Amino acid sequence: MRNVKWMAGSCFAMALALLAWGCAGKAQKAVPFEEIKGQHPANWIQVHYASYIATPEQCQTCHGSTTDSALAGGISKVSCFTCHTGGVNHPAGWAAPAQHGLAAKQAPSANPIAMVGFSHCAKCHGATYAGGVANSCKACHTKAPHPDKPWTGTTATLTNHIFTDQANVPECFKCHAAGANSTVHPLTTPPAGTAPGCLNDTMCHSTTISSPAGIRILPTTAP
C-alpha cells in the first residue's frame, strides 16, 4: 500500500513538472522566463508587448487565445483578457483617423495597456515612428508621424495639432527641437536646459501661437 501511495505521489509530481516544463521550455525560446520561479521577470508587464508582437504564438502557448476570451488562460491560467479586456490588438477601425489619431493626441497614460499618447505609439512603431516591432507610421503619413496640413490649421478638427495634449511635448521635441522640420521657428534661443514646451522657444513657438509676435514664419524652401 505504501508503494502504491509513493508511486501515485511520484506520478503527480512528475505531471506537475512536465506541465511546468511545457510552459517554461517553450516560452524560453522567445521570451524571458525564470523557470525556477515559474514566472516572467518583474518588469514583464511594462515590456511584454514587444515579445508579443514579435511572436504572438509564444504567448498563446501558455496563455491561450489572445482573440477569444472564452479560450484564454491556457496552461498558465493567466488570461490576457484579465488586463486587456477588449483584446490585445487594436480595435476594429483603428486605421481611421477618428480612432488612432484621436488616441495619439491624448495625454500618455501610466497604464501600460492604455492605447493613448504618442509615446505609447512609439513603443511599437519606433522611437522616431519609422518602424519598430510594428510598421512605420510613415507608411501612411509619408512626411511625418502625423497628418500633413491642415495639421497646422486653425479649426477644431482631428488634424489640428493645437488640440494635442501638451503632455506629448517630449515626443514632438524629437523632430521639432528649435523649430526643426517646420517653417515656424522661435524668435529667441531659450536658456540651456530649458524643458521642451509648446510656447517657450524650445520648438516652433515662442510666447503664443496666435500672435504674429510670437512666431517667425520661414520661407517654405527653408531647411
Side-chain angles (χ1 to χ4, degrees), residues 53-77:
I53 291 177
T55 52
E57 65 276 4
Q58 291 295 325
C59 302
Q60 295 162 5
T61 298
C62 297
H63 296 284
S65 176
T66 57
T67 58
D68 186 344
S69 60
L71 300 176
I75 58 178
S76 69
K77 304 302 180 184

Side-chain angles (χ1 to χ4, degrees), residues 152-165:
T152 54
T154 56
T155 57
T157 68
L158 290 174
T159 56
N160 190 320
H161 79 292
I162 66 173
F163 292 97
T164 301
D165 193 285

Side-chain angles (χ1 to χ4, degrees), residues 18-60:
L18 288 172
L19 181 63
W21 176 84
C23 186
K26 292 180 180 179
Q28 184 68 23
K29 295 178 181 179
V31 300
F33 192 87
E34 300 176 13
E35 294 190 23
I36 295 178
K37 295 182 179 180
Q39 62 187 26
H40 293 294
N43 68 334
W44 189 242
I45 291 294
Q46 286 71 38
V47 301
H48 72 289
Y49 62 89
S51 291
Y52 169 75
I53 291 177
T55 52
E57 65 276 4
Q58 291 295 325
C59 302
Q60 295 162 5

Side-chain angles (χ1 to χ4, degrees), residues 117-143:
F118 275 96
S119 59
H120 183 87
C121 306
K123 288 181 177 180
C124 296
H125 296 283
T128 60
Y129 306 93
V133 292
N135 61 299
S136 169
C137 296
K138 296 176 183 178
C140 296
H141 301 284
T142 55
K143 296 181 179 179

